[in-house]
Amino acid sequence: MGTVEPRRRRRNASALTLLCATALLAVTALTGTAQAAPLPEPGATSLEQVRKEIEDLYRQAGTATDAYNQAESEAKAQSDKIVEIAKQVVAGQDRISSLKNRAGAAARAQYRSNGLPPQARLALSGSPSQFLDGADRIRQGEKATTDLLSEMNRTQTALQQYAKDANAEWQKLEANRVKKEASKKEIEAKIKAAEELENKLAAEEKARLLQLEQDAQYRAQTAWLSTGVLKEINSSASEAGRKAVQFATAQIGKPYVWGAVGPASYDCSGLTSQAWKAAGRGIPRTSQEQLRLLPKVALKDMRPGDLIIYFDDASHVGMYVGDGAIVHAPRPGRNVTLAGAGSMPIKAVVRPDA
């Protein structure tokens, strides 16, 4: 009995300490002030800071990825244009050769007639009808010669313009190559820095980091849902939207890889652009271009298949699938997954098949 009473007193003291700490937290929450704050769980604050730093690095990488993807799309368009210009140049050169052959044939015909101009040969004719017929042929020949020379001039001018266009496109292509290389280096640096931060964590800390990510998303989603937003969002998907959602959700579990458009891996806009391509609609490759070029719709009118653009810089995009959820490719080190539509700051909603 002598040992039971001290243990009971220690338990009571512990309970009293816990009660006091709880009361202090309650007062702090209400007033915003306190004489002293309880110490955080060892490592929790620093791990939260690591989470935010990693998240920020991946956000910056996402922005650079958009710039990279945009430059790549522009480079492809410019390459296609250069190929088309090259075809036009070849066709123009063939046309010039044909016109020169016709001009040469006319010169050879004049040589075979002893070099006399048609008018002189006509004057030597002794037949009035032959003279009249010949005059008509001369007029036709002169018009043909004039048309031939005009066409040669037009073709030469077109070839000169093609050369200027090709040079301009080459310059744009080179500028985009430089832009793409700079974005690529920035992406690789940000991802490497984030991975190095994460790799320094022990296995338990990595698990805790994932939990912190999920907790932050849960809090944001809960706050979004608490506004009653889902009461207004009740539109049904279009036929194309259903196909896009079906494609996107079928990719769940595949890894995020920046710049990837499938089929084994995706980045965020790679997933959405390929999903709508599978639904028969071509849309811009990047989240920023999707925001800029696709029709915007009000949040209350959102329907499955619509794209939600996130963050002020439009650096992320997900596809709404209904019931307050999206499917998206989150970041390097994570797989395509379902998430709350309000788990990140929403910038706008766009509709590929408006």
Side-chain angles (χ1 to χ4, degrees):
M1 294 296 293
T3 60
V4 171
E5 188 61 29
R7 283 199 298 271
R8 184 178 300 162
R9 283 198 297 270
R10 285 195 296 273
R11 285 199 300 273
N12 289 340
S14 298
L16 182 60
T17 301
L18 179 60
L19 182 61
C20 290
T22 304
L24 180 59
L25 286 172
V27 171
T28 302
L30 289 171
T31 66
T33 60
Q35 295 298 317
L39 292 174
E41 179 185 342
T45 301
S46 60
L47 194 58
E48 175 63 12
Q49 290 171 344
V50 169
R51 180 192 73 80
K52 289 180 178 178
E53 190 171 349
I54 288 174
E55 184 179 276
D56 187 55
L57 285 166
Y58 280 128
R59 279 276 317 283
Q60 293 175 41
T63 302
T65 297
D66 235 32
Y68 176 92
N69 290 337
Q70 181 63 23
E72 191 170 58
S73 296
E74 290 172 355
K76 184 181 184 306
Q78 284 148 5
S79 295
D80 292 344
K81 192 168 183 179
I82 288 170
V83 169
E84 184 59 34
I85 289 172
K87 291 178 180 178
Q88 291 171 331
V89 168
V90 170
Q93 289 172 336
D94 289 344
R95 184 62 179 160
I96 288 290
S97 296
S98 174
L99 293 171
K100 285 181 177 179
N101 288 338
R102 285 169 55 188
R108 287 192 294 274
Q110 184 173 340
Y111 175 78
R112 284 195 295 271
S113 63
N114 298 320
L116 289 174
Q119 293 88 343
R121 294 199 307 275
L122 186 59
L124 296 175
S125 171
S127 169
S129 61
Q130 186 178 357
F131 180 88
L132 293 174
D133 291 342
D136 186 56
R137 285 196 299 271
I138 287 172
R139 285 193 294 271
Q140 293 176 3
E142 288 175 342
K143 183 178 183 305
T145 301
T146 301
D147 291 345
L148 177 64
L149 292 174
S150 296
E151 190 171 353
M152 286 183 71
N153 288 332
R154 285 195 302 271
T155 306
Q156 289 282 14
T157 300
L159 284 173
Q160 290 172 358
Q161 186 59 49
Y162 293 154
K164 290 179 181 178
D165 292 344
N167 183 57
E169 292 304 321
W170 274 116
Q171 289 179 354
K172 289 180 185 177
L173 192 62
E174 176 61 16
N176 271 312
R177 185 192 65 78
V178 172
K179 177 182 174 183
K180 189 166 67 171
E181 285 299 315
S183 296
K184 182 178 180 181
K185 288 178 181 177
E186 184 179 353
I187 294 163
E188 290 172 342
K190 299 297 183 184
I191 290 177
K192 183 179 179 182
E195 288 174 343
E196 286 177 351
L197 272 176
E198 197 163 352
N199 289 338
K200 290 177 181 177
L201 302 176
E204 314 86 67
E205 290 175 315
K206 287 182 180 179
R208 176 64 180 152
L209 179 68
L210 178 59
Q211 186 61 51
L212 287 173
E213 287 180 11
Q214 293 170 346
D215 289 347
Q217 293 167 7
Y218 175 78
R219 288 193 299 271
Q221 175 73 354
T222 300
W224 184 66
L225 293 175
S226 69
T227 64
V229 64
L230 281 190
K231 294 177 183 178
E232 297 182 311
I233 302 174
N234 52 22
S235 299
S236 300
S238 64
E239 180 61 29
R242 281 193 291 271
K243 292 178 181 178
V245 168
Q246 184 178 16
F247 178 94
T249 52
Q251 313 312 309
I252 289 175
K254 294 182 179 180
Y256 177 108
V257 173
W258 70 265
V261 291
S265 58
Y266 297 87
D267 64 16
C268 65
S269 56
L271 176 65
T272 54
S273 60
Q274 290 303 301
W276 272 101
K277 182 178 180 181
R281 301 278 180 142
I283 66 171
R285 168 67 179 86
T286 71
S287 57
Q288 292 173 347
E289 287 297 284
Q290 288 168 3
L291 172 66
R292 188 174 72 87
L293 297 175
L294 296 179
K296 296 177 180 62
V297 296
L299 190 64
K300 65 182 180 62
D301 298 324
M302 183 167 61
R303 68 191 187 193
D306 287 348
L307 306 182
I308 304 181
I309 309 296
Y310 292 99
F311 304 110
D312 287 340
D313 59 1
S315 58
H316 192 69
V317 60
M319 178 180 291
Y320 187 63
V321 296
D323 296 325
I326 60 167
V327 59
H328 72 143
R331 66 165 177 83
R334 299 288 183 258
N335 298 331
V336 175
T337 187
L338 291 173
S343 60
M344 295 168 284
I346 295 175
K347 183 174 180 66
V349 179
V350 297
R351 178 164 294 165
D353 63 337

